[in-house]
Each structure stands twice: as C-alpha cells, then as structure tokens.
Amino acid sequence: FSARSQTMGATSEDEGSTGDALDIVLYLFVLGPAVEWCLKSPRVNRGRPGSWRGVSLAVLLLALVAAGKMAWESGTREPNHFETLGVRVDAGTAEIKRAYKTESLKYHPDKTDDPAAPAIFMRMQRAYETLKDPSSRDAYNRFGGKSGDDESGGMTGAAMFYAIWLVLGYLLTMGRASEDARTWAFSGLLALAVVEYQTRVLKYDYLAMVLPHTTVHEKLELLHRLFPPFLHGSRMISQVVFRDIGVYNKMLVEQMHVKVDELGKLAYATQREIAKQGIARPSGVAAPLAAAADGFAKLGGEKAADAAVGAAAPSVARASSGAAVAGAGAESAADQEAAAKQAAAREAAAASQQNNRMTNLILFFLVYAGFKYVMDKD
C-alpha cells in the first residue's frame, strides 16, 4: 500500500509539472498571438486597432480558454474525499457514515472480484477517516491536504500567492501604456482575495450549489490558476487601446508650428512681390502682412521666401491677395485655439478617468463593508 501511495504521489507531481509546462506554452505561443490578432487585425477592427469589436473578441477568447481550462482540470484531477464517498461538501457526520457503509460494501475485497476494488476500498477508508471528524473535515474542505491538518500551510500558501502576484503584476504593468491593465489586475486580485477570505476564513461557500462535491480549496486553486491569463489578457488589451495624450498634443503643436512657418514664408514672399510690382496694398492688410514678413525675415527665412516667391506671384497680382492672406492668418489662429481646447478637454478627460478609478475603489470597499456587516449580523 505504501508503494502504491508513493507511485500515485509521483504521478500526481508529474501531472502537475506537465500542466505547468502546458500553461506556459499556451500563454506564450497560443493565447498571446491569438489575442494580439484579435486586437490588431484590420479585418476584425475595420482599420482601427483596439476597437470594441477586437476587444470583445479578445475577452470572449480569454473567457472560452478559462472555461476550457477549468473543465479540463476538473475532469483530470484525482477525486477528493467527498467525491470518493459520493457526498456533498456540506454533508453531516451521519450522512457520511451511511455513504461509507454503502459504498465500502460494493468494493470490499471479500465481496467482489474486481482487481481495482482493493485500491478503491483503501481510498474510501482514507476518506472516511478524514471526514468522520467535523474539525478535520472542515480543515480538509477549506485547506486541502492528505490529513486535513494543514491550516497554517494553506494560509501561508495563499499569502505567498498574493505577495508574488502583487509584485509580478506591478512589474508586468509598469509604464503609461499599462495603467489600465494595472487597475484591472489589482482589482481582480483584490476581488479574489475578498472571495478567498470569505470562503476560507468566514466559511461562506458561494459555489456550493454549482459545485457541490468540490472542496473550497479546489475551487480557490482553480481561481488562482485563472489569474495569470487574466493578467496577461488585461496587459495586452491595455497596450492596444492606450492613447498617449501627451504625444498626441505634441504632434498637434508640431503641426501648428509647420503651418505658422508656411504662413510666414507666404507673407514674406508676398511682401517682396508687392514691393517689386508696386501694387497698392489695402490698409487693413498692410500692417499684419508687414509684421509677419518682418518677423519671418528676422528668423532667417529669406532663402525659403525666395523659393516661395514664384508660387506667390500669381496670387499677388491683384489687390485682393492681401485679404486672402489675412483670412489664412485668421483661420490659422482659429485652428490653434481649437487645438488648445481639444488638448484641455483631453487633459480633463484623463483627470476624470483617474478620479473614476479612485471612486470605484472607494465604492468597492464600501459595498464590501456593508455586505460583511449584513452577513455578520445574520
């Protein structure tokens, strides 16, 4: 029996190592490129990377992978003690005793010739020895383990999980492009910690109706295994949908500088052409045109203006050309004012988004405090 137990333990460890290797391959070489294709494909996003269609498809893909992973791990893991005896995790001592007597008679070595019956009978004995005592049954349900006495080890493992992923989550979401991913990841980690505290410490099993034969420890382990793909998907989605407001404003300012330079060249060229041909300038245009030309000349734009003279000559043959230049100047000023308003609106939107994040965190804690008060009162 001891040799068989060691063989089963070695097989379980090998399966765990194989599962971890498959997870790494799945995340790096399958799930990552698939999510990136959903977010950047022109066919899916219609020429706009990170559109709602691409994000929705990426979230659906991550949800399907998570559901498939949970189903596969639930179907391939070794049955727990409750499943071995065929009872629910909230069954009482009397019900467990009846189930043990009924099932053990079916697989007793003296009652059947099935070659697998001795191993099944021994597994039932181990299950009954753990579940017949309420304290060991509760510890096994909440913290797992072979003996059911590893409460301190279970709490230590949970603390290590949150400490490791808190640090890894921060390191993997550094940078402005991953700010949203950091918020999503830490919110998910906080929600998972609240659920684990409610189930392990306060003994509220919210999934008992859905998974009646699965222990709390196994349910939380499944949720722990789902956090890495959640973090990975959040990081990829955040980097695709991110828009750097500072870079965008810088591009607008550079475009305005280019337009102002072009306007100065045109004004200087127009000034020189008018002076050569002796055309009378309208009084309303003379002062702005002369000021623009003088300013551009001081900046060293004479060579560039000589190149622009040929293009400006036909337009200055008539006196109305001065009015066109004034109109262009007014239009440029209007463009600058509109760009400044857009930049201010984007900065206000960024500040509002940051305030919304803080508001959501505060509301989350308030809701949790109210929920805990109601549950404790009941």
Side-chain angles (χ1 to χ4, degrees), residues 245 248-249 252 256 333-349:
I245 298 177
Y248 183 76
N249 292 338
L252 289 179
M256 287 189 294
D335 292 341
Q336 294 180 8
E337 183 178 358
K341 290 182 179 179
Q342 291 178 359
R346 289 186 180 86
E347 293 178 356

Side-chain angles (χ1 to χ4, degrees), residues 14-23 26 64-78 222 225:
D14 293 341
E15 291 177 354
S17 302
T18 304
D20 294 338
L22 289 177
D23 289 345
L26 176 66
L64 291 176
V65 171
K69 182 177 177 61
M70 290 182 65
W72 181 78
E73 291 190 357
S74 299
T76 56
R77 63 177 174 81
E78 184 180 354
L222 282 177
R225 298 291 292 273

